[in-house]
Amino acid sequence: MRFSRIRAVGGRVLHQIARDRRFVVLVVVAPLLLVFFVKTLFEATMVPAPAQNQFVVPFGAYIVHFATFILTAIVLVRERVAETLERMFVNGYRQVEIVAGYLIGYTVLATAVSVMVLAALELLFDLGYDLGRLVEAFVILWLLAVISMALGILVSNLARTEGQVIPFIPLVIIPSFLFSGIIVAVDVLPRWAQAISRLSPMYYANQVLQQVIEGNSATSDFGAALALPIFGLVVLGLATLTLREQS
Amino acid sequence: MVTDQGEQEMNDAISISGVSKRYGRIAALSGVDLTVPAGTIVGLVGPNGAGKTTLIRILVGALRADQGTVRVLGQDPFTNRRLVRTQIGYMPQAPVLYQDLTIGENITFFARGHLNGGVAAKVAEVVRFVDLEEEIDRQVQSLSGGQAQRTSLAAALVHEPNVLFLDEPTAGVDPELRRTFWLRFRELADSGVTLVVSTHQMDEVVHCDRVAIVRSGLVLADAAPKELFSSGGGTVRIEKETGSEQHHIGSLADDLPRVLYDLGLDRSVKRIDVQGPTMEEVILGLIDPNGGGHAV
């Protein structure tokens, strides 16, 4: 592994993102719009604020998860179809360098999405978090974003065409929403659904976020806090191993 | 004199023996044998679907052969691909480039895969070689087909490989640029680079040192262009005072003297026209001896 090659992939990805301003604006603004829609829904139903927070903060995280997962799922398979992925391999780039470079490049966008979503939650729902809680919530959202991008790469490795990625998107996104504890507690789900919930980074992110929502430190349940980065490393390892050169 | 086979193998940049490759039920290659001496240009000629691209992708380690042995610079290009790839360059069939990046950014990015330092100087040198200095800051999506092909060639060359694989580099390129491309290829071969060039354009084989004619996953002929040319048949038309007659002969090189002798060249013969085939006819004849020959 050579760091200069990771930097080259990351730099190249950033260059491409910077050239497509409309894409950048859409990626950052669309999640804000979704947070606003949730606000409108709660205003109409008049749910009390504490109950709102239990839902909206994880839902904000879910928006970050959704947006960042789709980014890499689609972009990397596009590289495979265009054969630039094969050309990268033939020109000496290695799996781990490509995955790391991609994550570094897109982390800039993921960071922007995380900050914007958190700012929108704070402003629209008046969470009343102090700086420490906001930083903790941001770190969780940011980690979730990076892990979701690694998950996107893993899923794109299972597809051969851009069309094949499409069925995978709801398969990942919808169970993440239903089974990760955003709507109902995971404990009440059947065992098979609980097992599925463990396959989504949203589950681990929600476990830690609930601590922050309740006013505890993010690391007060140390096991839950550690599970998120460990899950991320596993996904990252799998994404690297499955990034195959041959189609 | 006994040939020193070991020494010969040392001089071969590429050796392929009994290579087969299937995609499901379809046999892309069915026992290909080919050797390429170092510092030569070998042309792979054949119809679409003949197996040229599959063969090149096996040689760059992007595909694994189902059977047979492949050696590029003495190494298996699949199992030792990291090592082999430091010494090879590959220009894919379509100009595989990032459309939203400039010429310079594309070449620099692909250069960084192999080079750790001195990238800017190497990029400047290769851009000069393909004559794109003035366009270096243009995005690929705004380039003509020929400019994109030159960019793709530069990306394959920038790390100064010993062996260069070019998959249809002149497809969709105007005649003037084609000529320039072949001049550049010859310059590279003269400097010791081995080139494997697949092409649709049969007249281009005259630029190659050797020509491998590929059809249905087999190498049908592997010869110097002159040898191929002399293997072709032709027509002898003899005009006599009493009228003219025309004879078809199988091989001009082997059979022409005998045919002329048999015809008896007496004083009544006013004129003899010997018409050989074009290179295209020779190759089409080899690809399809029954005269179909429309698929190239």
Side-chain angles (χ1 to χ4, degrees):
Chain A
M1 187 172 78
R2 202 199 283 162
F3 188 71
S4 65
R5 284 198 285 247
I6 298 176
R7 211 173 48 200
V9 176
R12 192 261 296 164
V13 169
L14 273 175
H15 245 99
Q16 290 177 295
I17 293 171
R19 291 260 159 83
D20 197 348
R21 287 189 189 149
R22 184 180 298 193
F23 168 76
V24 174
V25 169
L26 280 172
V27 167
V28 177
V29 170
L32 296 184
L33 207 60
L34 293 175
V35 174
F36 175 71
F37 290 165
V38 178
K39 169 74 179 168
T40 311
L41 186 77
F42 275 110
E43 271 182 354
T45 52
M46 291 187 295
V47 177
Q52 275 187 30
N53 289 358
Q54 287 230 324
F55 177 76
V56 292
V57 177
F59 188 74
Y62 175 74
I63 292 171
V64 171
H65 165 62
F66 190 138
T68 48
F69 164 75
I70 288 180
L71 270 183
T72 48
I74 290 176
V75 173
L76 210 68
V77 82
R78 199 189 297 157
E79 286 237 31
R80 188 183 295 282
V81 173
E83 293 176 26
T84 44
L85 188 65
E86 180 175 291
R87 192 161 198 181
M88 263 197 273
F89 277 117
V90 176
N91 275 55
Y93 288 96
R94 298 181 185 180
Q95 288 159 308
V96 64
E97 294 159 349
I98 295 170
V99 171
Y102 253 89
L103 288 184
I104 288 171
Y106 276 102
T107 291
V108 174
L109 264 189
T111 306
V113 171
S114 305
V115 168
M116 296 299 271
V117 165
L118 202 59
L121 288 174
E122 175 65 29
L123 292 173
L124 288 177
F125 289 92
D126 196 17
L127 298 177
Y129 287 5
D130 60 15
L131 187 64
R133 273 173 96 185
L134 276 176
V135 169
E136 283 188 337
F138 168 74
V139 171
I140 297 164
L141 256 60
W142 185 84
L143 264 177
L144 174 68
V146 175
I147 297 165
S148 302
M149 291 192 302
L151 191 64
I153 294 174
L154 177 61
V155 164
S156 79
N157 292 345
L158 304 174
R160 291 285 161 264
T161 64
E162 282 168 283
Q164 284 179 9
V165 173
I166 293 170
F168 281 111
I169 292 173
L171 264 179
V172 172
I173 288 301
I174 293 177
S176 284
F177 183 66
L178 297 178
F179 297 156
S180 296
I182 305 175
I183 313 174
V184 290
V186 178
D187 305 348
V188 302
L189 296 171
R191 290 178 77 93
W192 63 265
Q194 288 189 28
I196 289 178
S197 75
R198 266 51 167 198
L199 299 176
S200 170
M202 210 33 246
Y203 167 81
Y204 302 97
N206 188 41
Q207 297 288 308
V208 199
L209 273 176
Q210 289 305 329
Q211 298 294 331
V212 177
I213 293 163
E214 287 166 20
N216 303 324
S217 159
T219 51
S220 55
D221 182 350
F222 195 68
L226 203 62
L228 181 64
I230 288 174
F231 179 80
L233 285 175
V234 171
V235 173
L236 195 61
L238 287 173
T240 305
L241 287 174
T242 53
L243 182 67
R244 299 190 74 82
E245 185 183 337
Q246 289 80 30
S247 45
Chain B
M1 195 176 112
V2 178
T3 309
D4 185 342
Q5 201 177 342
E7 191 179 319
Q8 181 59 42
E9 281 174 3
M10 293 274 285
N11 291 331
D12 290 335
I14 296 162
S15 68
I16 301 164
S17 168
V19 165
S20 299
K21 177 73 189 171
R22 298 185 72 85
Y23 297 114
R25 288 183 180 178
I26 300 161
L29 298 175
S30 317
V32 168
D33 298 312
L34 187 68
T35 53
V36 181
T40 58
I41 303 178
V42 168
L44 297 179
V45 187
N48 282 330
K52 305 186 298 289
T53 298
T54 300
L55 187 57
I56 288 181
R57 293 184 72 212
I58 286 173
L59 287 166
V60 300
L63 284 177
R64 180 176 218 160
D66 297 336
Q67 283 179 322
T69 339
V70 186
R71 291 287 177 272
V72 174
L73 299 169
Q75 303 284 334
D76 184 319
F78 189 84
T79 51
N80 294 328
R81 55 189 180 277
R82 284 184 181 163
L83 176 67
V84 171
R85 283 172 176 174
T86 59
Q87 298 180 69
I88 64 167
Y90 170 46
M91 178 179 170
Q93 197 165 355
V96 174
L97 299 164
Y98 295 100
Q99 299 291 315
D100 47 357
L101 296 185
T102 65
I103 292 176
E105 287 164 348
N106 265 286
I107 301 170
T108 303
F109 174 68
F110 288 114
R112 288 208 168 116
H114 289 303
L115 303 171
N116 210 0
V119 173
K122 287 275 199 301
V123 171
E125 191 182 330
V126 81
V127 165
R128 208 162 35 243
F129 184 74
V130 296
D131 200 17
L132 281 172
E133 285 162 294
E134 288 183 11
E135 284 85 14
I136 191 163
D137 291 325
R138 277 180 61 188
Q139 281 188 28
V140 168
Q141 61 200 1
S142 72
L143 300 179
S144 69
Q147 287 167 328
Q149 287 288 70
R150 278 187 279 166
T151 309
S152 188
L153 175 64
L157 273 177
V158 66
H159 58 292
E160 297 178 347
N162 293 320
V163 183
L164 199 51
F165 298 97
L166 310 172
D167 197 356
E168 309 231 1
T170 55
V173 165
D174 66 63
E176 198 180 326
L177 183 57
R178 271 173 62 192
R179 192 173 149 272
T180 313
F181 261 32
W182 282 104
L183 287 172
R184 293 285 182 262
F185 298 163
R186 181 51 65 191
E187 280 176 40
L188 289 165
D190 288 346
S191 69
V193 178
T194 308
L195 289 95
V196 176
V197 186
S198 78
T199 179
H200 265 118
Q201 318 275 351
M202 282 171 284
D203 55 317
E204 290 186 334
V205 301
V206 296
H207 301 292
C208 302
D209 299 309
R210 292 195 76 77
V211 182
I213 295 171
V214 189
R215 190 202 63 187
S216 307
L218 284 166
V219 172
L220 299 179
D222 169 21
K226 276 185 183 170
E227 291 167 23
L228 274 182
F229 204 71
S230 67
S231 71
T235 306
V236 181
R237 183 184 161 85
I238 298 175
E239 281 182 34
K240 293 184 175 178
E241 284 169 357
T242 52
S244 66
E245 52 189 89
Q246 197 162 295
H247 298 268
H248 294 283
I249 50 179
S251 166
L252 284 177
D254 297 337
D255 300 336
L256 184 60
R258 181 184 54 76
V259 169
L260 293 177
Y261 179 81
D262 289 348
L263 290 171
L265 297 177
D266 57 38
R267 283 172 185 271
S268 68
V269 174
K270 288 162 57 185
R271 181 182 168 84
I272 299 172
D273 280 331
V274 179
Q275 281 194 323
T278 63
M279 184 55 88
E280 184 165 327
E281 286 164 343
V282 171
I283 293 172
L284 285 176
L286 286 163
I287 288 172
D288 186 358
N290 298 322
H294 54 275
V296 175

